[in-house]
Amino acid sequence: DQQVKQNSPSLSVQEGRISILNCDYTNSMFDYFLWYKKYPAEGPTFLISISSIKDKNEDGRFTVFLNKSAKHLSLHIVPSQPGDSAVYFCAAPYSGGGADGLTFGKGTHLIIQP
Amino acid sequence: DTGVSQDPRHKITKRGQNVTFRCDPISEHNRLYWYRQTLGQGPEFLTYFQNEAQLEKSRLLSDRFSAERPKGSFSTLEIQRTEQGDSAMYLCASSSGGGSYNEQFFGPGTRLTVL
């Protein structure tokens, strides 16, 4: 049973514009959420995280928003750059919190067009 | 290079054979994780070590799978009597547990193909 869901398999955005990647979850007990980015033939790379007690976290061009009532989070990338083309995964702790393994969504393939 | 390394990067085997993969975590990290990723899916958690203790296993880790981390450093994942359904990318990750939210650092993975 998928606890973390990414319903858009792919997203195409023009260079310089905003990219918005969405993620829904079912477990209201998740302590935190993370976003990972993956290039072909490489392992996932950590991008940004957010605690369940916050509604926003920002790091440079990347901002994650959390809406707990809707069980929804989103990753905003502004402005989008060609190097942002990758698969993005939303993740949460497998057992809810702590130093657990992570449960991942299926990913969204972001394509930045020139 | 001080990142997570995995060996081999690719493995092709015949159904029924045993395979073993190795993961070397970032040296100061005491937590080590194994995941499996199949096409079109995100990584799926298999198991987790803190130092040499295996603390958690998912239901995906069938009896044919065994993982060890004998001295709390590198880890091995063995699959016995491989099946075609075992074909996947096997990812290893490590963390120090000291980050805010358990950021895990992944290796490049071992791609297993079972013929």
Side-chain angles (χ1 to χ4, degrees):
Chain A
D1 186 29
Q2 197 91 20
Q3 294 192 82
V4 177
K5 299 178 184 178
Q6 294 176 261
N7 294 318
S8 299
S10 65
L11 174 67
S12 184
V13 174
Q14 208 163 13
E15 182 179 356
R17 308 292 281 266
I18 183 171
S19 295
I20 300 176
L21 298 103
N22 295 305
C23 177
D24 297 298
Y25 61 94
T26 56
N27 186 349
S28 59
M29 302 301 291
F30 284 141
D31 280 348
Y32 56 89
F33 303 88
L34 309 97
W35 284 92
Y36 279 81
K37 173 180 176 179
K38 186 180 184 304
Y39 293 119
E42 294 183 10
T45 302
F46 170 74
L47 198 54
I48 191 169
S49 60
I50 187 166
S51 166
S52 62
I53 63 173
K54 298 196 172 182
D55 54 18
K56 178 181 173 181
N57 188 28
E58 194 170 352
D59 184 2
R61 296 186 299 114
F62 302 92
T63 303
V64 57
F65 295 93
L66 176 61
N67 182 334
K68 288 181 68 177
S69 61
K71 293 185 183 153
H72 177 84
L73 63 157
S74 60
L75 174 68
H76 293 213
I77 306 173
V78 183
S80 300
Q81 298 175 353
D84 296 331
S85 294
V87 178
Y88 289 78
F89 293 100
C90 171
Y94 181 76
S95 299
D100 291 342
L102 300 173
T103 182
F104 286 81
K106 292 186 177 184
T108 296
H109 185 193
L110 177 63
I111 301 161
I112 304 301
Q113 296 187 333
Chain B
D1 184 10
T2 57
V4 178
S5 62
Q6 292 187 246
D7 185 69
R9 294 290 305 274
H10 303 274
K11 178 72 177 178
I12 300 174
T13 191
K14 293 183 179 178
R15 190 175 53 187
Q17 298 293 304
N18 298 345
V19 295
T20 300
F21 310 139
R22 177 181 169 123
C23 170
D24 287 271
I26 293 170
S27 59
E28 62 268 25
H29 285 182
N30 62 355
R31 293 184 170 89
L32 187 148
Y33 306 81
W34 284 100
Y35 293 84
R36 180 183 74 179
Q37 186 176 16
T38 53
L39 196 61
Q41 302 292 321
E44 297 171 291
F45 171 67
L46 293 177
T47 189
Y48 147 54
F49 290 85
Q50 181 166 322
N51 300 312
E52 65 274 12
Q54 189 172 17
L55 296 186
E56 194 170 10
K57 300 181 192 180
S58 82
R59 57 184 165 77
L60 292 176
L61 208 69
S62 76
D63 292 345
R64 296 185 297 106
F65 287 68
S66 63
E68 293 183 343
R69 194 182 183 199
K71 296 183 180 179
S73 56
F74 73 92
S75 175
T76 57
L77 177 68
E78 181 183 17
I79 309 174
Q80 296 182 328
R81 305 181 303 281
T82 52
E83 302 172 356
Q84 287 184 325
D86 297 331
S87 294
M89 176 75 81
Y90 289 84
L91 293 162
C92 175
S94 69
S95 76
S96 63
S100 300
Y101 305 112
N102 191 31
E103 296 91 346
Q104 296 177 22
F105 297 82
F106 283 80
T110 294
R111 180 166 296 285
L112 173 66
T113 302
V114 182
L115 301 175

